[in-house]
Amino acid sequence: MTKSTCPKNYKPLLGEKETEHAIVLLKNFFQTALSTELNLTRVTAPLFVRSGTGVNDDLNGIERPVRFPVKALNDQKLEIVQSLAKWKRLKITELGIKPGFGIYTDMNAIRPDEDLDPVHSLYVDQWDWEMAINDVDRTVFYLHEIVKKVYRCIKRAEFYVYDYYSNIKPSLPENIKFLFSDDLQREYPNLTPKEREYEAAKKYGAIFITGIGADLDDGNPHDGRAPDYDDWITETGDGHKGLNGDIIVWDDVLQQPLELSSMGIRVSPDSLRAQLKERGCPEREKLMFHSKLLKGHLTQTLGGGIGQSRLCMFLFKKAHIGETQVSIWPQEILDDCKKRGIKLLQLN
């Protein structure tokens, strides 16, 4: 099952019916905690957007979105969203939200090019959130303060689950450890980025890796990031680069790192131009979203996404994301899960 493999002798701590009930409890609790901690109001999100506007998330720039023609629009092409990183910034601007306040929504996406394994699915569900900030808040210190708030929500959710199901023991450390991708590269020069995440997550239990997208000393980024939402090129003032990062925890069941959230301060006009140039796609400046941003018409924001099924999977001590969401899986994955006693919530 690729590099992420289900454990042997796995026994779920919650049955299928208990799991369904627990999912509802956790989702209701967590979105209330998150919205309270970050001053977020709920908005309704789109399932699809118009092609050719630059609004859809390009992720690493190589994943194909699901496109379809619409009869009522003269066969104009629409795209299923891959995330809402740029749409949320448009929404923040439209609503006139002031710094220190923001929005969150339920994001449902399809990623047909995803490599499927116990933590990756064709179907993606997450809490997408975004908050308005001042230009003076475009610092790594402010970013880390927001990360602490998000982590507090995850910690409270862990206790909430334990309070309901005493057989699910908490495992997260009290505090999250802040690391920089270039420091990790220098500490583990002979390891791949994923191997570095493994060592750091196992050591600290919960980490935030700052600076994802820009090339490191070896000429490669820690991980891919599209050039038009997170700011990964700006110097932080302490020798590092990048105003974004990932929250990663150590999964005791799978014995591997598990990314729960990707977030960051969004691009300014200057950093957008620089990142488009570095990635060799300056022609995107003409797209609707990018044009608005470059003209200074969009509010400066910070935002991210938190995987709903992944958070449920982690806090319920599940071995496969298919135990907390319904998707479609290749036969070899179905056979392997059956052999290991893993009951997936799947389409017949």
Side-chain angles (χ1 to χ4, degrees):
M1 296 181 66
T2 72
K3 295 180 180 179
S4 183
T5 304
C6 290
K8 297 179 180 179
N9 305 316
Y10 167 70
K11 292 183 179 181
L13 299 179
L14 299 178
E16 184 174 343
K17 190 173 181 179
E18 279 184 308
T19 299
E20 294 282 17
H21 290 164
I23 289 172
V24 175
L25 290 171
L26 176 58
K27 287 187 176 183
N28 287 339
F29 176 86
F30 187 81
Q31 65 186 13
T32 300
L34 184 70
S35 62
T36 303
E37 187 72 56
L38 297 182
N39 299 323
L40 308 176
T41 186
R42 190 188 183 282
V43 298
T44 301
L47 179 60
F48 39 79
V49 295
R50 295 177 188 269
S51 298
T53 60
V55 175
N56 205 357
D57 186 351
D58 295 307
L59 303 175
N60 294 317
I62 59 174
E63 295 88 348
R64 300 169 299 169
V66 176
R67 291 190 177 95
F68 59 95
V70 178
K71 178 181 177 182
L73 299 176
N74 296 318
D75 281 345
Q76 182 179 3
K77 292 285 198 326
L78 302 185
E79 297 177 0
I80 303 292
V81 298
Q82 298 197 108
S83 87
L84 296 171
K86 289 177 278 187
W87 176 86
K88 291 177 297 180
R89 193 165 180 181
L90 291 170
K91 192 67 176 179
I92 287 273
T93 303
E94 175 191 330
L95 294 174
I97 291 178
K98 302 301 181 184
F101 299 89
I103 60 175
Y104 79 95
T105 190
D106 288 292
M107 191 282 295
N108 297 285
I110 300 173
R111 297 180 181 173
D113 286 343
E114 196 71 84
D115 293 325
L116 305 183
D117 62 25
V119 300
H120 294 92
S121 171
L122 296 173
Y123 169 61
V124 179
D125 57 339
Q126 61 185 35
W127 290 285
D128 250 325
W129 62 273
E130 200 85 6
M131 60 187 295
I133 63 173
N134 291 301
D135 287 340
V136 296
D137 297 324
R138 300 189 77 257
T139 69
V140 72
F141 308 105
Y142 188 80
L143 171 65
H144 286 177
E145 288 304 310
I146 301 302
V147 172
K148 291 176 185 176
K149 292 184 177 184
V150 174
Y151 185 67
R152 281 202 293 267
C153 293
I154 296 172
K155 280 283 293 178
R156 287 203 293 270
E158 182 184 48
F159 174 76
Y160 181 76
V161 170
Y162 173 62
D163 200 32
Y164 263 89
Y165 307 100
S166 58
N167 59 327
I168 303 180
K169 308 297 183 184
S171 61
L172 288 171
E174 189 62 31
N175 298 304
I176 189 168
K177 178 71 173 179
F178 291 99
L179 304 168
F180 289 87
S181 58
D182 52 352
D183 286 341
L184 275 179
Q185 195 272 333
R186 285 187 282 270
E187 184 177 359
Y188 303 106
N190 298 320
L191 300 184
T192 67
K194 292 304 177 186
E195 289 169 340
R196 293 171 208 152
E197 289 181 6
Y198 180 97
E199 295 299 331
K202 187 175 183 180
K203 180 178 181 180
Y204 296 108
I207 59 177
F208 183 78
I209 300 180
T210 311
I212 296 179
D215 288 346
L216 303 176
D217 293 342
D218 62 0
N220 299 305
H222 180 84
D223 200 358
R225 282 295 185 276
D228 46 15
Y229 55 97
D230 279 353
D231 186 330
W232 41 257
I233 204 168
T234 294
E235 298 282 350
T236 64
D238 51 4
H240 303 292
K241 184 184 290 187
L243 300 174
N244 71 338
D246 292 340
I247 293 177
I248 299 171
V249 297
W250 179 254
D251 189 310
D252 286 328
V253 177
L254 293 178
Q255 286 293 295
Q256 67 174 50
L258 181 66
E259 179 190 321
L260 294 181
S261 177
S262 175
M263 57 188 288
I265 293 172
R266 307 310 194 184
V267 287
S268 65
D270 288 341
S271 59
L272 175 63
R273 286 193 186 93
Q275 290 180 182
L276 290 177
K277 182 179 180 181
E278 182 158 322
R279 289 294 169 82
C281 51
E283 68 280 357
R284 290 193 193 179
E285 291 184 11
K286 299 177 182 179
L287 297 174
M288 180 275 289
F289 173 84
H290 304 68
S291 177
K292 283 179 177 288
L293 198 156
L294 291 171
K295 291 175 182 176
H297 294 168
L298 298 184
T299 302
Q300 180 62 63
T301 62
L302 183 162
I306 302 165
Q308 295 184 11
S309 294
R310 277 201 187 179
L311 185 64
C312 291
M313 172 191 171
F314 174 73
L315 293 182
F316 301 155
K317 308 297 183 183
K318 297 290 188 179
H320 199 288
I321 197 169
E323 294 179 89
T324 57
Q325 63 157 246
V326 177
S327 187
I328 293 178
W329 305 93
Q331 191 59 49
E332 60 267 26
I333 288 182
L334 297 176
D335 292 343
D336 191 79
C337 286
K338 184 177 181 180
K339 180 177 67 176
R340 297 172 187 268
I342 298 169
K343 179 70 167 65
L344 302 184
L345 308 176
Q346 63 173 17
L347 295 172
N348 292 327

